[in-house]
Amino acid sequence: RAFGLAGCRGRPLEVNCLVAPTHPQRIDAVRLLEGFSGRRGILVHGVEPEPEAAAEETENGGGQGDEDDDGPHYYMEWIEAWSPRLTSAKLEEWRALLASAKPFAREPVSRLRYLLELRLHQVAVAPTGYGELTYRHGEALMTGAALVCQDLSHVEMMFPFADRENVAFCRPDLSDLRSTVEELLRLRRRLLAA
């Protein structure tokens, strides 16, 4: 019922790209989409560990399967690393990633609110993380937004994605992300004008 009510207002916003900071390409995607209307940003909420706590936990062998883990939960393999030197380097990489995401930082919202907001957008961008498929692919399909993501033709999956039929693929390096989104927005305007 809530999706139906959200749909009554049409799709006044252009592009939605709210993502977790699990990969540098996600920050690039948000940066490339500046200037479009809609909600874009990096969802950061308490994912940056205190360096001393994370290093101490790793050195003591803690963190594996621990519910109260202080480590960056998107990078659980860091906590499992056997080398404190490697863990220190990865934590430094994590802090650098979060620092580059700061200009785009957004507070997360509830799942229902997120889906209702996504329902108001014409296009949803789903950049990869450490893996090709994300929840955003299914969420875009569920809410009826046009889905844009990197080419997934090499991935064996149950989603029946076909480029320019039910998804618009862009290059893996995101070099044509903006032009792909612009193409979809132009197509939508032409269809609505007809």
Side-chain angles (χ1 to χ4, degrees):
R1 200 169 0 166
F3 280 167
L5 290 174
C8 291
R9 296 191 298 181
R11 294 184 183 271
L13 303 172
E14 292 175 322
V15 182
N16 180 289
C17 185
L18 286 172
V19 292
T22 58
H23 195 281
Q25 261 194 334
R26 290 179 164 205
I27 298 165
D28 293 340
V30 172
R31 188 174 287 120
L32 288 167
L33 296 170
E34 285 186 295
F36 290 111
S37 68
R39 296 212 6 113
R40 292 166 317 284
I42 306 295
L43 302 174
V44 289
H45 53 91
V47 293
E48 183 171 16
E50 292 298 320
E52 297 81 20
E56 180 182 313
E57 182 145 343
T58 301
E59 287 172 10
N60 295 334
Q64 289 140 349
D66 214 46
E67 291 293 321
D68 297 318
D69 175 30
D70 284 332
H73 63 277
Y74 292 109
Y75 293 105
M76 292 309 293
E77 73 271 14
W78 289 3
I79 299 305
E80 298 169 1
W82 58 272
S83 166
R85 189 172 51 88
L86 178 61
T87 300
S88 176
K90 287 192 174 201
L91 285 172
E92 195 58 39
E93 186 180 315
W94 170 253
R95 283 192 291 275
L97 180 65
L98 285 182
S100 68
K102 274 212 189 325
F104 310 105
R106 300 284 180 273
E107 282 293 317
V109 296
S110 72
R111 185 151 210 65
L112 179 59
R113 182 172 170 196
Y114 168 77
L115 291 171
L116 289 172
E117 286 179 355
L118 185 56
R119 180 70 179 85
L120 299 174
H121 288 77
Q122 298 168 38
V123 175
V125 176
T128 61
Y130 286 104
E132 288 86 357
L133 276 178
T134 69
Y135 288 113
R136 293 191 49 74
H137 291 81
E139 291 164 347
L141 295 176
M142 183 170 66
T143 59
L147 174 62
V148 176
C149 64
Q150 284 113 320
D151 189 352
L152 297 174
S153 59
H154 64 286
V155 180
E156 186 176 323
M157 62 186 149
M158 294 178 71
F159 280 115
F161 287 138
D163 190 25
R164 300 307 194 266
E165 289 182 26
N166 59 356
V167 65
F169 288 145
C170 65
R171 292 188 187 112
D173 66 358
L174 301 176
S175 60
D176 64 341
L177 173 63
R178 190 170 184 88
S179 62
T180 302
V181 168
E182 288 170 342
E183 174 190 339
L184 286 177
L185 292 172
R186 274 194 307 273
L187 178 61
R188 180 175 170 78
R189 281 192 291 271
R190 275 203 317 264
L191 290 173
L192 290 176

